[in-house]
């Protein structure tokens, strides 16, 4: 309230006071490490920030020209939203924790092929196994991974998976989960 009153006295229009007050509080937060109580009380320090922010607001207001967007404008965001980023990171961490529970032999094929993108022929030659064995190992690894994921999700939701059925329908959810596990 004190900051808004100062902004009113400094001539900031009512419609912009909340925005400018938010800028004042942000600047105060960012410069709090520089605050020295020996130099004066906190309200004088905050007042200096408010005066500085309001004066720069007035300068920017003269140069600011806002043009309305056309009615058919549809903004396309190229980056994922914060919520999508959080979900993606949670999925990645979940997949990595499930991968740690797999047998090292099975986990190696999933990490190499599905996460790092190593071709199966290269993986097979690196481990000295036939290509068909590498594909069979990957199939077993995907099944084990999918079962562990289903058990984890079921324990979170309280679903019984002892009968062998699980909520994931086929390998597609597993592959999506694995591809998001790239470090």
């Amino acid at each position: 309230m004190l900051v808004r009153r100062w902004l009113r006295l400094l001539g900031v229009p009512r419609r912009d006071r909340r925005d400018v007050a938010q800028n004042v509080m942000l600047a105060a937060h960012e410069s709090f490490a520089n605050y020295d109580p020996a130099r004066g009380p906190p309200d004088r320090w905050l007042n200096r920030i408010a005066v500085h922010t309001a004066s720069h607001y007035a300068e920017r207001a003269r140069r600011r020209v806002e043009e309305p967007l056309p009615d058919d404008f549809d903004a396309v965001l190229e980056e994922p939203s914060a919520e999508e980023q959080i979900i993606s990171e949670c999925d990645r961490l979940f997949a990595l924790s499930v991968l740690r529970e797999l047998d090292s032999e099975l986990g190696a094929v999933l990490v190499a092929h599905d996460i790092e993108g190593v071709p199966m022929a290269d993986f097979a030659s690196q481990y000295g196994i036939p290509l068909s064995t590498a594909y069979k190992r990957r199939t077993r690894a995907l099944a084990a991974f999918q079962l562990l994921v289903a058990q984890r999700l079921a324990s979170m939701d309280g679903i019984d998976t002892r009968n062998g059925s699980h909520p994931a329908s086929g390998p597609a959810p597993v592959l999506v989960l694995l591809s998001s596990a790239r470090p």
Side-chain angles (χ1 to χ4, degrees):
M1 295 302 283
L2 188 61
V3 171
R4 282 197 203 155
R5 185 170 34 150
W6 290 333
L7 294 176
R8 179 178 52 83
L9 294 172
L10 290 168
V12 175
R14 184 178 195 163
R15 69 179 181 273
D16 296 331
R17 278 188 209 138
R18 284 184 182 220
D19 291 336
V20 177
Q22 188 69 29
N23 291 342
V24 169
M25 298 311 287
L26 178 64
H29 175 74
E30 289 173 346
S31 67
F32 187 73
N34 300 332
Y35 171 65
D36 182 14
R39 294 181 64 193
D43 59 331
R44 288 185 58 205
W45 170 73
L46 191 59
N47 180 272
R48 282 193 298 268
I49 294 173
V51 168
H52 178 79
T53 304
S55 68
H56 285 286
Y57 163 79
E59 290 171 5
R60 284 190 308 269
R62 286 189 208 115
R63 286 182 272 153
R64 183 174 43 225
V65 176
E66 296 179 7
E67 297 177 15
L69 295 173
D71 291 336
D72 60 345
F73 181 77
D74 189 23
V76 176
L77 299 177
E78 294 179 15
E79 294 184 13
S81 69
E83 182 180 4
E84 291 169 337
Q85 290 176 4
I86 290 171
I87 290 170
S88 174
E89 180 64 12
C90 288
D91 288 348
R92 186 183 76 80
L93 292 173
F94 178 75
L96 289 175
S97 71
V98 171
L99 275 173
R100 282 189 215 104
E101 291 181 32
L102 283 178
D103 179 58
S104 62
E105 188 177 276
L106 298 178
V109 70
L110 287 180
V111 169
H113 182 70
D114 292 305
I115 294 178
E116 295 176 358
V118 175
M120 286 302 277
D122 293 348
F123 176 80
S125 66
Q126 183 180 12
Y127 280 85
I129 58 176
L131 184 59
S132 63
T133 303
Y135 276 110
K136 288 175 186 173
R137 190 178 290 176
R138 180 176 177 270
T139 302
R140 282 195 334 263
L142 283 173
F145 182 84
Q146 190 173 11
L147 182 63
L148 285 173
V149 167
Q151 289 172 348
R152 282 264 195 102
L153 292 176
S155 68
M156 290 179 202
D157 294 338
I159 299 171
D160 186 18
T161 58
R162 286 178 287 187
N163 62 2
S165 66
H166 34 82
S169 59
V174 174
L175 293 176
V176 169
L177 201 56
L178 278 176
S179 66
S180 68
R182 286 197 171 108

